[in-house]
Amino acid sequence: EVELVESGGGLVQVGGSLTLSCTASGFAFHDGSIGWFRQAPGQAPGTGREAVSCIGISDGHPAYASSVKGRFTISADNAKNTMSLQMSSLEPEDTAVYYCALILRRDPGGAYYCNEYFVDYWGKGTLVTVSA
């Protein structure tokens, strides 16, 4: 059974840094993509989870939401089945529950997905709170 466990969330001040980690078990990193999605507190029902960043498992190619590009860095260690998200210059708008997600497929053109609709497995989430 695949399990994704996040760690590293917490309270940080505006402008601060935090690193989230995700450890996968029951799955060997081979292909597809793994990434981070987030959902802000009080979000309207049905709004869904925002894709923050994903990385291709086989080639390490990263993708970022425009709102975090230049501030967040995603990395994966396939040998250890772990993934990290280094977050810096944090803003109050980054406050959310961050979910680790595993997507086992690619689109028909071979590109990686980074969209909640294609997620095969979710972690339970870790809360990041950025205080002003």
Side-chain angles (χ1 to χ4, degrees), residues 18-68:
L18 207 60
T19 298
L20 304 182
S21 296
C22 173
T23 300
S25 61
F27 171 80
F29 282 21
H30 289 305
D31 201 7
S33 57
I34 190 165
W36 295 93
F37 292 71
R38 67 186 180 187
Q39 190 163 33
Q43 205 167 323
T47 304
R49 296 175 180 176
E50 176 192 10
V52 176
S53 180
C54 294
I55 187 167
I57 292 173
S58 60
D59 65 7
H61 181 75
Y64 298 96
S66 56
S67 59
V68 306

Side-chain angles (χ1 to χ4, degrees), residues 56-128:
I57 292 173
S58 60
D59 65 7
H61 181 75
Y64 298 96
S66 56
S67 59
V68 306
K69 196 172 293 185
R71 300 188 298 121
F72 291 9
T73 302
I74 192 170
S75 61
D77 186 331
N78 292 358
K80 296 181 180 179
N81 275 16
T82 59
M83 174 187 62
S84 295
L85 184 69
Q86 295 177 290
M87 306 184 294
S88 61
S89 301
L90 284 162
E91 304 165 352
E93 293 74 24
D94 296 316
T95 295
V97 178
Y98 284 71
Y99 297 91
C100 178
L102 177 63
I103 302 170
L104 299 177
R105 74 203 86 169
R106 303 193 193 193
D107 74 10
Y112 297 113
Y113 285 118
C114 192
N115 184 301
E116 64 170 331
Y117 297 106
F118 298 102
V119 171
D120 293 285
Y121 297 97
W122 291 100
K124 293 182 178 180
T126 186
L127 176 63
V128 172

Side-chain angles (χ1 to χ4, degrees), residues 6-21:
E6 304 95 338
S7 61
L11 176 65
V12 63
Q13 291 186 329
V14 169
S17 300
L18 207 60
T19 298
L20 304 182
S21 296

